[in-house]
Amino acid sequence: MIQFLIKNRIALEHDKVQLIATGILERNAEKSGFKVKKMLACLMGGDAQIASKVAAGKINVVFMFTDH
């Protein structure tokens, strides 16, 4: 995920883009200098938090990354 973020930094740092991530992925993105809205860890329902935002039309695009 971090490699993707760094490679696409210019587009992702646009003022209309808000990054949302869960758990370890969120922490690693912040350590790489990205501003990220933190959701719960996936095991605690973070994936469901993101899914509910998609269902409500509050998120336009989702990229799913795994940490294994």
Side-chain angles (χ1 to χ4, degrees):
M1 174 187 163
I2 301 307
Q3 291 173 344
F4 174 85
L5 293 176
I6 292 169
K7 184 176 181 180
N8 296 284
R9 182 179 293 272
I10 293 172
L12 295 172
E13 289 184 336
H14 191 278
D15 62 342
K16 292 188 177 184
V17 174
Q18 180 182 22
L19 299 177
I20 300 172
T22 60
I24 294 171
L25 297 175
E26 176 268 332
R27 286 189 297 275
N28 288 337
E30 283 191 337
K31 287 179 185 176
S32 296
F34 290 92
K35 183 178 178 184
V36 182
K37 181 173 182 175
K38 183 178 184 176
M39 298 287 120
L40 296 172
C42 284
L43 293 174
M44 306 223 19
D47 52 345
Q49 285 181 304
I50 293 172
S52 70
K53 290 181 180 295
V54 171
K58 295 180 179 180
I59 294 178
N60 296 321
V61 178
V62 175
F63 293 97
M64 297 296 287
F65 296 93
T66 62
D67 57 355
H68 58 268

